Amino acid sequence: MQTETPPRAAFEVKLEKKEYVAAALIGARRSGVLRSAPVVMVVSLALLAVGLLTMNWFRTTSTILVPVVMCVACPLLLILFFGVEPGGVRKKAAADFVTFDALMQPATVRLYADNAVTVTPTLTLYDQYALIRECVETRELLILIKDRERQLVIPKRCLPPDKQEEILEFLRLTFIRRRRVMRSWLF
């Protein structure tokens, strides 16, 4: 007598390195080092505006060094946050992909009513939907973010073509309040 409910969908997932890196950037943007991107943009624009607006006042009262430092800090902050930090995330993700590829590929993902089961040659992972913080959907990927270190990445190309819309609708409804649509890692 079988007591297990059949999955709503089951399919094989084989991630490519570029998809893994893209998912890492999106994960870092949603819950990692890059999550403060809007704040950094506002602060850098505020530094630039204050530097430019106070340039004449500082010129008449003392040295012009303070507004110049503020104006120079704006592009430096943007370069650091939007160039150096994402580069570090990409580099770490590329290095982590070697381990991921050895341990987790190929994987079979089974989507049940209340959890996702990922079966790999070396281990089996059970992810309860209630414990997944967020579902991020891009044009190519579905990323189920559990925490800073764990996420389930499902490329849309791996979904069975005949059931793709049904699976997407199921996940959209499951994560209706925790679903985000993003075009890239930034927005």
Side-chain angles (χ1 to χ4, degrees), residues 4-153:
E4 185 177 321
T5 307
R8 290 182 176 248
F11 48 89
E12 189 167 307
V13 172
K14 179 97 167 107
L15 272 175
E16 296 173 359
K17 187 175 185 178
K18 67 178 182 161
E19 293 169 335
Y20 187 84
V21 170
L25 280 169
I26 290 171
R29 170 66 180 92
R30 298 304 302 167
S31 65
V33 296
L34 300 175
R35 72 178 170 271
S36 58
V39 174
V40 170
M41 286 192 294
V42 168
V43 167
S44 64
L45 288 175
L47 280 172
L48 182 63
V50 169
L52 291 174
L53 291 174
T54 60
M55 197 156 298
N56 283 335
W57 183 75
F58 272 99
R59 186 179 301 156
T60 59
T61 58
S62 61
T63 180
I64 198 166
L65 184 63
V66 173
V68 169
V69 168
M70 289 177 146
C71 291
V72 170
C74 169
L76 289 178
L77 186 63
L78 291 174
I79 289 170
L80 174 71
F81 198 80
F82 294 105
V84 176
E85 281 295 326
V89 171
R90 283 185 190 98
K91 186 176 177 181
K92 183 179 180 330
D96 289 347
F97 181 75
V98 175
T99 305
F100 175 83
D101 193 35
L103 290 176
M104 299 293 292
Q105 302 228 63
T108 301
V109 175
R110 294 186 192 117
L111 300 175
Y112 292 93
D114 61 348
N115 67 351
V117 178
T118 307
V119 180
T120 69
T122 56
L123 57 118
T124 302
L125 300 171
Y126 297 89
D127 295 313
Q128 299 289 328
Y129 297 143
L131 299 177
I132 293 176
R133 274 195 356 213
E134 189 173 29
C135 173
V136 178
E137 183 177 350
T138 67
R139 196 175 10 201
E140 299 90 19
L141 301 171
L142 287 164
I143 306 160
L144 306 178
I145 301 173
K146 192 165 186 178
D147 55 33
R148 285 184 180 199
E149 298 298 321
R150 261 205 9 91
Q151 56 190 15
L152 173 60
V153 182

